Amino acid sequence: MTNIIPNESITKPRIDESGLCSWLGKADPGEALEYHRGFLAIDIYRDAGRVPETIRRELGRVARRAGWAAEQGLVHLVQRRHGADDYSYLLIARPRPRGQRVSLQELLADQTAS
């Protein structure tokens, strides 16, 4: 039995990876973006069957890109709990270090090259 949750945030992605990258490139410090609402660890797990496959794959890409952005120091990753198995997953843009001239496009190119 497949248990797909009829929740708009899961049956329709909040943002795709391209949209997240676009947001990263123009977000002002302190600006927040909710990139998922649900229970991310379960929603991206294939065998859970909670999310349609195409959305699950895109959600996995978005989650990996969010983690990458945090590792690069571009964002803080934050969760807000609404209830049981119901969280908002947020990116909060960090200030760019003074003198940093590296653009998001250059960071993405470096990641692709490695």
Side-chain angles (χ1 to χ4, degrees):
M1 178 172 105
T2 302
N3 183 22
I4 296 178
I5 297 173
N7 178 327
E8 180 181 320
S9 65
I10 296 175
T11 59
K12 179 181 171 197
R14 293 232 186 256
I15 192 165
D16 63 10
E17 184 182 16
S18 176
L20 187 139
C21 287
S22 176
W23 180 86
L24 286 171
K26 62 184 178 185
D28 292 325
E31 190 174 341
L33 171 73
E34 182 182 66
Y35 65 92
H36 181 62
R37 178 143 181 202
F39 195 146
L40 187 60
I42 293 173
D43 296 341
I44 63 173
Y45 182 58
R46 180 179 9 157
D47 294 340
R50 288 171 43 119
V51 179
E53 183 63 18
T54 55
I55 293 170
R56 186 194 64 74
R57 279 186 266 134
E58 185 61 34
L59 180 57
R61 286 189 288 271
V62 168
R64 284 188 297 279
R65 181 62 64 198
W68 172 86
E71 289 172 0
Q72 299 301 311
L74 300 172
V75 298
H76 295 289
L77 296 179
V78 178
Q79 295 175 14
R80 180 177 297 141
R81 185 173 192 263
H82 302 286
D85 296 348
D86 183 12
Y87 299 86
S88 288
Y89 295 85
L90 306 164
L91 297 168
I92 299 176
R94 296 181 60 180
R96 303 282 198 264
R98 291 180 188 233
Q100 183 183 24
R101 299 266 185 226
V102 178
S103 70
L104 178 63
Q105 187 174 15
E106 290 171 310
L107 289 172
L108 290 169
D110 286 348
Q111 181 193 22
T112 305
S114 35

